[in-house]
């Protein structure tokens, strides 16, 4: 394969190639197009989210209604920013990805390009670091690109985004959109703010917005009534939690701007992770594409995996759970085990890592299935409508007290949870596992400490069984 690359550091690396030899590639028939469950393409959904008079990207409410949520959410803006970065990575590797898919064995071809110096397709023209990034990211693209690590220095010529920089960008957009929404709400509700008037907005823990600083009490009440609609209070509260401010000032027709030089402390970043998990995992500071492979150790009576299989599994672990792997590398879990006893069957902790990760994730997978089953009937009903009408149907059930189908039999908290979960299922986004209603039959919401304890117990049982098996083989 003839490949050239630009070497100008001010420009993005550009790949050019000639067609792979026929022996290496096997053109596959175009896969049958996958029909969107609700007949709405990702592009159409993105367009809907960007249309001011259509459906709000987070709440599904229409912005033309005084009862609608007008304020964008920080989580929605953060996910949008993250998707922009993901799209940039996909575009950067688009040609390589298309080439990989044209091969009979795409993962083996990727390994040849970046891990196998003996292959005629080995990318000797790239640096070791660039090959390491390409290997993990192209493999992940084969699996849908769900774990693309955004800190890729090659996909972003002006500097790779970080969790902090993405947060600042998302929160700046959030502030600007909330400011604009306030003006629109005032116009919709006939509220005229005097040119020289200024006030401060604060939000309490019940997500109620309060106005202070206006001498006209009737005007202040009108402002509060206009702003306290839908999820506006929650969205403003979450926004301010990221900035660390107790409130925000409004003057001259705008909210006060954010400090562009703001430095985010650990508390702010922890709040981002709380609001925006799992998107935050794509900004992992623990991810390292050069991390040593975590191959499966050969045991008596079992075939040894190929180097390509070992590297492929290692890449999946690296990008999927970098924080947990970092803890393994630091020896945190080994201290809880009889290391000397298990060294013979698991010298590099690879079996321990595999077993722990799978056992730790299993309760979450089971909880997700329980939640999906719980909302299955409602989801079938919602998805029987065209996409936008389905969103409206959900809003009618849980956000519109004047609707004939409003679920007044549920508590406000339960309606909020049902609304969130049914929207997630309809739009194809992730359901939250913090759902006490859907998980009541399964013992309630997951306890992370219980998950860790169960995972460690699974590790002990696995290593004990392998140790006994090896002892028996040697005997």
């Amino acid at each position: 394969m003839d490949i050239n690359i630009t070497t100008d550091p001010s420009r993005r690396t550009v790949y050019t190639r000639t067609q792979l030899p026929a022996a290496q590639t096997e053109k596959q028939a175009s896969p049958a197009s996958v029909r969107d469950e609700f007949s709405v393409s990702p592009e159409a959904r993105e367009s809907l989210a960007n249309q001011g008079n259509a459906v709000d990207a987070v709440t599904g409410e229409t912005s033309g209604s005084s009862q609608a949520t007008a304020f964008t959410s920080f989580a929605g803006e953060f996910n949008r920013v993250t998707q922009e970065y993901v799209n940039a990575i996909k575009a950067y590797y688009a040609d390589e990805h298309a080439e990989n898919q044209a091969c009979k064995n795409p993962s083996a071809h990727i390994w040849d390009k970046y891990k196998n110096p003996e292959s005629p397709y080995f990318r000797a023209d790239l640096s070791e670091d660039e090959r390491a990034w390409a290997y993990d990211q192209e493999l992940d693209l084969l699996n849908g690109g769900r774990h693309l690590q955004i800190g890729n220095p090659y996909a972003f010529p002006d500097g790779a985004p970080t969790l902090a920089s993405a947060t600042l960008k998302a929160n700046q957009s959030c502030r600007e959109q909330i400011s604009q929404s306030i003006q629109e709400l005032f116009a919709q509700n006939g509220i005229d703010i005097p040119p020289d008037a200024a006030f401060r907005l604060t939000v309490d823990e019940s997500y109620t917005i309060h106005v202070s600083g206006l001498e006209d009490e009737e005007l202040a009440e009108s402002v509060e009534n206009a702003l306290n609609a839908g999820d506006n209070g929650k969205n403003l509260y979450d926004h301010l939690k990221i900035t660390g401010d107790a409130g925000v000032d409004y003057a001259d027709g705008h909210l006060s701007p954010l400090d562009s030089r703001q430095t985010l402390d650990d508390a702010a970043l922890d709040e981002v992770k709380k609001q925006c998990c799992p998107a935050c995992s794509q900004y992992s500071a623990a991810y390292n594409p050069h991390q040593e492979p975590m191959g499966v150790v050969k045991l008596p009576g079992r075939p040894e995996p190929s180097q390509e299989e070992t590297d492929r599994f290692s890449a999946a672990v690296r990008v999927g759970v970098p924080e947990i792997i970092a803890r393994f590398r630091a020896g945190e879990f080994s201290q809880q085990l009889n290391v000397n006893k298990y060294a013979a069957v698991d010298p590099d902790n690879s079996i321990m890592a595999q077993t722990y990760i799978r056992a730790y994730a299993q309760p979450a997978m089971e909880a997700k299935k329980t939640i999906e089953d719980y909302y299955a009937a409602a989801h079938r009903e919602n998805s029987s409508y065209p996409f936008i009408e389905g969103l409206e149907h959900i809003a009618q059930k849980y956000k519109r007290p004047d609707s004939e189908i409003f679920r007044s039999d549920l508590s406000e908290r339960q309606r909020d949870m049902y609304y969130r979960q049914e929207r997630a299922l309809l739009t194809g986004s992730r359901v939250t596992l913090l759902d006490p209603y859907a998980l009541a039959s399964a013992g309630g919401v997951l306890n992370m400490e219980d998950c860790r304890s169960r995972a460690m117990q699974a590790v002990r049982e696995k290593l004990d069984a392998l140790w006994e098996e090896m002892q028996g083989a040697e005997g």
Side-chain angles (χ1 to χ4, degrees):
M1 179 172 60
D2 183 18
I3 301 174
N4 300 300
I5 120 175
T6 61
T7 55
D8 182 352
S10 67
R11 298 178 59 192
R12 176 180 303 181
T13 301
V14 178
Y15 295 91
T16 60
R17 67 184 58 74
T18 58
Q19 179 65 42
L20 281 171
Q24 174 66 16
T25 62
E26 178 178 293
K27 294 295 183 181
Q28 301 173 338
S30 299
S33 58
V34 179
R35 178 181 176 272
D36 187 278
E37 186 176 356
F38 308 108
S39 301
V40 178
S41 68
E43 292 79 8
R45 291 181 181 177
E46 183 176 357
S47 175
L48 286 172
N50 292 329
Q51 293 175 10
N53 293 321
V55 179
D56 183 270
V58 177
T59 67
E61 304 280 2
T62 56
S63 62
S65 168
S66 62
Q67 298 301 314
T69 297
F71 295 178
T72 188
S73 71
F74 170 75
E77 287 304 301
F78 185 87
N79 288 335
R80 180 187 61 77
V81 168
T82 299
Q83 189 59 49
E84 289 179 358
Y85 296 147
V86 168
N87 290 342
I89 295 174
K90 289 182 176 180
Y92 181 76
Y93 289 109
D95 290 343
E96 294 293 327
H97 181 53
E99 177 187 282
N100 298 334
Q101 289 183 307
C103 296
K104 183 177 181 179
N105 189 335
S107 61
H109 178 60
I110 296 172
W111 187 76
D112 279 340
K113 287 193 294 182
Y114 305 120
K115 297 285 186 180
N116 183 12
E118 304 301 320
S119 170
Y121 311 105
F122 182 68
R123 295 295 302 273
D125 57 312
L126 303 181
S127 68
E128 181 181 359
D129 190 55
E130 191 165 3
R131 287 195 297 268
W133 276 98
Y135 181 71
D136 282 4
Q137 302 231 299
E138 289 182 32
L139 276 180
D140 193 60
L141 284 170
L142 284 182
N143 296 310
R146 293 185 296 271
H147 303 289
L148 289 172
Q149 289 295 317
I150 290 171
N152 185 332
Y154 304 100
F156 300 96
D158 297 326
T162 64
L163 179 59
S165 67
T167 296
L168 292 174
K169 182 176 180 179
N171 223 25
Q172 178 62 39
S173 176
C174 195
R175 173 64 61 91
E176 293 171 355
Q177 292 194 43
I178 291 177
S179 183
Q180 178 64 32
S181 294
I182 290 175
Q183 298 177 49
E184 293 171 357
L185 283 173
F186 288 169
Q188 292 168 11
N189 289 275
I191 297 174
D192 187 15
I193 304 294
D196 59 345
F199 53 87
R200 185 169 179 80
L201 298 178
T202 56
V203 191
D204 61 31
E205 292 187 353
S206 69
Y207 303 143
T208 301
I209 300 173
H210 302 280
V211 175
S212 59
L214 284 176
E215 295 183 2
D216 187 334
E217 294 183 0
E218 184 176 347
L219 177 60
E221 183 179 359
S222 297
V223 171
E224 288 183 348
N225 289 338
L227 300 186
N228 280 300
D231 288 335
N232 287 346
K234 181 180 186 306
N235 291 345
L236 181 58
Y237 181 88
D238 289 344
H239 168 66
L240 293 175
K241 286 279 284 185
I242 303 299
T243 67
D245 298 323
V248 58
D249 296 323
Y250 186 92
D252 299 324
H254 300 279
L255 293 179
S256 58
L258 287 175
D259 181 1
S260 60
R261 297 170 297 177
Q262 177 187 10
T263 300
L264 299 175
D265 57 19
D266 290 341
L269 295 179
D270 286 344
E271 179 63 26
V272 174
K273 294 174 183 177
K274 177 181 177 181
Q275 292 188 32
C276 303
C277 182
C280 291
S281 64
Q282 293 181 264
Y283 299 87
S284 173
Y287 168 73
N288 175 12
H290 299 283
Q291 185 172 287
E292 290 298 319
M294 300 174 61
V296 179
V297 178
K298 184 179 185 305
L299 295 173
R302 298 189 180 184
E304 184 174 356
S306 68
Q307 187 61 49
E308 189 273 324
E309 291 172 331
T310 298
D311 287 342
R312 177 156 35 96
F313 175 80
S314 177
V317 172
R318 275 197 301 266
V319 301
V321 281
E323 277 72 24
I324 291 180
I325 297 307
R327 294 167 69 186
F328 270 105
R329 293 297 182 187
E332 177 179 335
F333 297 107
S334 296
Q335 296 172 9
Q336 304 177 41
L337 298 169
N338 186 337
V339 179
N340 292 332
K341 174 181 178 180
Y342 298 130
V345 295
D346 193 23
D348 63 353
N349 292 339
S350 62
I351 298 176
M352 185 201 314
Q354 295 173 45
T355 306
Y356 182 91
I357 292 165
R358 289 169 180 165
Y360 187 89
Q362 187 61 34
M365 295 170 62
E366 293 171 356
K368 180 174 180 291
K369 179 64 166 57
T370 299
I371 291 170
E372 291 174 345
D373 289 346
Y374 184 81
Y375 292 101
H379 177 53
R380 286 193 297 272
E381 176 185 291
N382 300 332
S383 59
S384 68
Y385 297 92
F387 181 67
I388 295 179
E389 292 181 19
L391 293 173
E392 174 63 21
H393 184 68
I394 297 173
Q396 291 279 351
K397 288 190 290 184
Y398 306 119
K399 294 294 183 180
R400 307 277 172 76
D402 57 344
S403 168
E404 294 182 355
I405 60 173
F406 181 69
R407 293 294 302 276
S408 58
D409 57 312
L410 305 178
S411 68
E412 182 177 358
R413 287 182 179 274
Q414 194 166 3
R415 285 196 297 269
D416 287 345
M417 181 59 70
Y418 281 28
Y419 175 75
R420 174 176 180 172
Q421 300 290 60
E422 289 183 29
R423 271 187 54 84
L425 289 170
L426 187 60
T427 59
S429 55
R430 296 175 185 268
V431 296
T432 177
L433 300 184
L434 302 176
D435 186 338
Y437 311 105
L439 295 176
S441 63
V445 174
L446 294 177
N447 180 296
M448 293 301 102
E449 284 303 319
D450 288 345
C451 291
R452 294 188 187 99
S453 297
R454 289 172 60 179
M456 284 306 299
Q457 181 60 31
V459 169
R460 292 188 182 93
E461 292 174 356
K462 177 69 173 180
L463 295 181
D464 279 339
L466 293 176
W467 187 79
E468 292 176 1
E469 179 181 336
M470 188 174 69
Q471 292 294 105
E474 292 176 349

